[in-house]
Amino acid sequence: MRLRWPRRVAAQVLVVQLVITTGVMVLATGLFLAPLGSELDDAATLRALAIAQTTAADPDIAKGLISTSPSPAGPVQTEAERVRRATHALYVVVMDTHGVRWSHTTSGEIGRHVSTDPSVALSGREIRQIDNGTLGRSARAKVPLHDSDGRIIGAVSVGIAYDSVRQRLIDTIPGLLLCAGAALGAGALAAVAVSRRLRRITHGVAFADISALLDEREAMLHGVREGVVAFDRDGRIRLANDEAVRLLGLDADATGRALDEVLAPGRTTDVLAGRVDGTDLLAVSGSRVLVANRMPTRDGGAVVTLRDRTELELLGRELDSTQGLLDALRAQDHEHANRLHTVLGLLELGRHERAVEFVAGVASAHRASAEQIAERVGDPLVSALLVGKTAIAAERGVSLRISPATLLPHRVVDPRDLVTVLGNLIDNALDAAAERRLTEPPAEGLGGPAATPSVEPFVEVELRAEQTTAVIRVSDTGPGVPPEMRERVFAEGWSTKRPAPPPLPADPSDPAPIAFRRRRGIGLALVRRLSERYGGMARVTARAGGGAVFTVVLPEALAPDDLVGDGTPARQLTSAGESR
């Protein structure tokens, strides 16, 4: 059966770890056994040397060697055998200076010449070695034998059976293998545990699949038109695709850094960091409106997707502007219809002169209101916005007033920014004033409850120029903004308005389109961002008598006195306007 190399990462890691663990155990065992044999040999020769030195120091052996002849029953043989039996040595041989044995384990060898060269010991030196003799291979030691005067009169040779040394080595092998087996088993279990964890983390993919997955991930992340930002468990940016870098304005070295280090504090940072709960959360990054969704990952990190809603918001605001224009036209249509009915009634009653006076008065009042706005607000876009909002306010039962302090010359650098700020503030003020008018209980009159609220709802607009700085102030008689919410009203996605009810199911037979409904909580956020981009500020305070006052300061929003936004001299433009 042919063995195949596993394809999955976990299986490959398991096989590699088992091979490495087994190899390490075999190598460690071999490296341990090799010096162990040398150490046992050295210990045996040292033991033999100690026995030989003890024997050579016995004065009875030296005296017997001098005074007797070699004999199996002599004092040298008797003493040497006593030492051998006491020390469990293989042999204890005493020889004279000619190499003749005076003692031996085998009595027949006494009186014969030794089988190995004794010249080294007889010269006065001690030796230790593993050698072969008449009794086989042994660990032996030889030392010189001195008389009482210190002269060398012979030598002592002691041997320890080498089989006992080898047996000690063999006896240590089972214990060593047992330890090695236990270590191998622990290593195998650790390898299996690591393999299972790796299989769970990698979801059982193969090495070849990992490369393909990485390539596909890179292509997908950098190819989609949504921003993707991945964070680790410590809140550091782990990955950001090209779209996320563009939408958030991240630096090239943002990867690996904490979110608070690369983004300024604010709602956008809070949404990305997960400090704001919810789905489809709105955030403003620079001039872009983003929708963010955060999804946690198993390792404690998170992935945030970002969608650019800037163009959709612009379309929605254009639709709002169109809707506002339609509301203004409808209000004017209602107003003109009422006036025509009044004129028709006067004519049918034959009161022609009164009809003429009524038409002249209405035309004069309307013209006077428009001329008053145009005189105080020089920019045509801004003044047109105020005229249209006046008609809308009248239809909603709210009076739109122009403050006597209003005076904005025709020196606006970018009228569209001013229209954005002023339109958002007026719309919010009209909503607040109209809401209070509808919810406030009527005041008590002499004849019972009055038909009108106790405070006439109105919105007052003030536009002033302080050199090149435009100051916009919009106040209303609505319920006001509590102090603890005066900063939150400028946050992205936060609104005091109740969400609109869901639309009714569309009727296929009804040709009328469903109205487009945008998310609330963006207008005031854009107002603040726009003011900060100019280097100014936006704040809300309380109005005396109830209500709120929104103030926006836009430095450098007006051109100097001698120039207008397009570089035309202000005096020339003013003269042209007066000539018209």
Side-chain angles (χ1 to χ4, degrees):
M1 182 176 179
R2 185 177 180 182
L3 297 178
R4 294 183 179 181
W5 184 252
R7 295 183 65 252
R8 299 184 183 277
V9 177
Q12 291 186 17
V13 170
L14 176 61
V15 172
V16 171
Q17 285 183 325
L18 291 177
V19 171
I20 292 176
T21 303
T22 305
V24 169
M25 287 297 101
V26 172
L27 181 61
T29 303
L31 293 177
F32 181 78
L33 289 176
L36 180 60
S38 299
E39 290 179 1
L40 292 176
D41 290 346
D42 189 62
T45 57
L46 285 175
R47 181 185 171 201
L49 179 62
I51 297 173
Q53 290 174 341
T54 303
T55 304
D58 189 348
D60 294 336
I61 291 180
K63 182 178 178 181
L65 185 63
I66 296 173
S67 61
T68 63
S69 59
S71 171
V76 176
Q77 171 68 3
T78 302
E79 188 65 23
E81 282 298 300
R82 184 187 65 80
V83 173
R84 184 186 66 82
R85 287 192 297 269
T87 58
H88 302 286
L90 178 64
Y91 62 86
V92 176
V93 176
V94 180
M95 70 191 76
D96 59 14
T97 55
H98 300 290
V100 177
R101 300 187 185 96
W102 284 65
S103 66
H104 196 275
T105 304
T106 305
S107 300
E109 296 292 333
I110 298 174
R112 295 181 181 180
H113 197 277
V114 295
S115 60
T116 58
D117 184 15
S119 59
V120 176
L122 293 175
S123 65
R125 291 183 294 168
E126 298 176 347
I127 61 173
R128 294 184 298 127
Q129 62 185 4
I130 304 295
D131 204 352
N132 293 318
T134 58
L135 297 178
R137 189 173 180 80
S138 61
R140 62 183 60 185
K142 297 178 182 180
V143 298
L145 179 61
H146 299 272
D147 60 6
S148 58
D149 295 330
R151 292 176 299 174
I152 297 176
I153 60 174
V156 177
S157 177
V158 176
I160 296 176
Y162 192 75
D163 289 342
S164 65
V165 178
R166 184 171 55 187
Q167 186 62 39
R168 290 180 60 191
L169 179 61
I170 294 174
D171 292 342
T172 60
I173 291 179
L176 181 62
L177 292 180
L178 182 61
C179 294
L184 181 61
L189 291 177
V192 171
V194 171
S195 175
R196 288 184 176 180
R197 175 174 174 79
L198 190 59
R199 181 176 58 188
R200 185 170 60 253
I201 294 175
T202 59
H203 301 285
V205 299
F207 271 114
D209 298 334
I210 293 178
S211 177
L213 287 174
L214 288 176
D215 293 339
E216 292 172 0
R217 189 199 71 163
E218 291 298 317
M220 184 185 305
L221 288 177
H222 297 287
V224 297
R225 300 309 300 168
E226 288 190 1
V228 179
V229 184
F231 300 94
D232 60 15
R233 65 177 61 188
D234 297 324
R236 292 187 296 266
I237 298 177
R238 187 160 49 192
L239 179 143
N241 67 347
D242 297 338
E243 186 68 7
V245 171
R246 182 183 70 88
L247 294 177
L248 298 175
L250 299 178
D251 298 331
D253 59 345
T255 303
R257 298 170 60 188
L259 181 63
D260 295 332
E261 296 179 6
V262 298
L263 288 181
R267 176 178 170 84
T268 302
T269 304
D270 294 338
V271 169
L272 295 180
R275 291 188 285 266
V276 180
D277 297 330
T279 58
D280 291 341
L281 298 174
L282 291 176
V284 176
S285 176
S287 59
R288 299 187 178 277
V289 180
L290 308 177
V291 175
N293 282 283
R294 179 184 173 93
M295 179 65 65
T297 56
R298 292 183 179 179
D299 60 352
V303 175
V304 179
T305 58
L306 302 169
R307 286 176 290 164
D308 189 359
R309 286 179 55 97
T310 305
E311 296 182 358
L312 189 59
E313 284 293 327
L314 292 177
L315 291 175
R317 294 195 177 279
E318 290 182 2
L319 184 59
D320 283 349
S321 300
T322 304
Q323 185 67 36
L325 179 60
L326 291 176
D327 292 342
L329 292 176
R330 185 176 65 253
Q332 291 181 356
D333 179 65
H334 291 172
E335 185 180 0
H336 288 307
N338 292 332
R339 291 170 181 172
L340 287 176
H341 293 161
T342 303
V343 171
L344 179 60
L346 291 174
L347 293 177
E348 290 180 352
L349 293 175
R351 306 185 64 175
H352 302 87
E353 294 181 357
R354 186 68 183 91
V356 172
E357 292 177 359
F358 176 77
V359 172
V362 169
S364 176
H366 182 73
R367 184 171 56 254
S369 176
E371 290 178 352
Q372 179 185 10
I373 295 176
E375 288 177 358
R376 295 182 176 275
V377 181
D379 188 86
L381 289 180
V382 180
S383 59
L385 173 69
L386 292 175
V387 171
K389 294 296 184 182
T390 300
I392 296 175
E395 186 186 24
R396 301 183 63 177
V398 180
S399 174
L400 180 62
R401 304 175 183 177
I402 305 299
S403 172
T406 296
L407 184 59
L408 185 70
H410 184 36
R411 293 189 285 112
V412 180
V413 174
D414 192 346
R416 292 172 299 179
D417 291 343
L418 213 61
V419 167
T420 298
V421 172
L422 189 58
N424 278 296
L425 294 181
I426 293 178
D427 288 341
N428 288 339
L430 289 177
D431 291 340
E435 180 180 359
R436 182 172 181 179
R437 182 181 67 85
L438 295 175
T439 58
E440 185 181 62
E444 294 292 338
L446 294 177
T452 58
S454 59
V455 178
E456 179 186 0
F458 68 87
V459 173
E460 186 175 67
V461 178
E462 179 181 341
L463 300 172
R464 290 187 293 106
E466 297 178 357
Q467 296 181 353
T468 59
T469 300
V471 179
I472 304 173
R473 182 174 288 109
V474 177
S475 58
D476 61 73
T477 57
V481 180
E484 65 273 11
M485 295 185 180
R486 290 177 184 173
E487 283 299 319
R488 295 178 60 188
V489 295
F490 293 102
E492 299 95 338
W494 194 91
S495 176
T496 58
K497 302 172 185 177
R498 292 186 298 270
L504 297 175
D507 185 0
S509 62
D510 186 3
I514 299 176
F516 175 80
R517 294 188 296 111
R518 292 185 301 108
R519 296 174 180 266
R520 297 188 181 275
I522 291 296
L524 290 180
L526 291 177
V527 168
R528 169 160 283 186
R529 288 297 179 93
L530 191 59
S531 65
E532 291 176 350
R533 191 171 65 186
Y534 274 88
M537 62 87 184
R539 69 171 185 268
V540 57
T541 56
R543 173 184 169 275
V549 179
F550 285 83
T551 303
V552 178
V553 178
L554 302 177
E556 307 301 328
L558 304 178
D561 292 340
D562 55 343
L563 292 176
V564 294
D566 57 356
T568 305
R571 295 187 183 88
Q572 177 181 344
L573 185 60
T574 303
S575 301
E578 291 176 353
S579 63
R580 289 195 299 268

